[in-house]
Amino acid sequence: MAKYLLLMVTGLLASCSFQVQPEPQTPWNEWVCASQVTLYWRADGTDAVQLRLGAGDLLHVLRRMPSDTGELYSDTELAFLLDAEQAQIYTVNGHNIVGRDCKAQPE
């Protein structure tokens, strides 16, 4: 009986810890970098952006950080520096540039 009660409580706690965030209503911006990396990004409120690299399904939610130049957004893996009409994206730990001179493509 105690095992079943423990399993039920564990299941209930696990389901409560998962939160579904509403999908932002802003459209995706599609930019291409000099390295031919395509990135998709959009604002997620006033202090964050959502970012996907290429056709990947991995969604990064990057929080705004203090910066001397442009707008810097980062999570534990990627940093996204938005400066006017271009951007750079790089890995946080290795400081490897994923894409530079990323810009919106003319339609």
Side-chain angles (χ1 to χ4, degrees), residues 5-28:
L5 183 59
L6 180 61
L7 285 173
M8 288 176 48
V9 169
T10 304
L12 181 61
L13 289 174
S15 66
C16 292
S17 66
F18 180 71
Q19 295 180 359
V20 176
Q21 295 182 341
E23 184 78 15
Q25 298 301 316
T26 57
W28 288 99

Side-chain angles (χ1 to χ4, degrees), residues 30-32 103-107:
E30 180 180 350
W31 286 17
V32 177
K103 299 177 184 173
Q105 295 301 296
E107 294 182 23

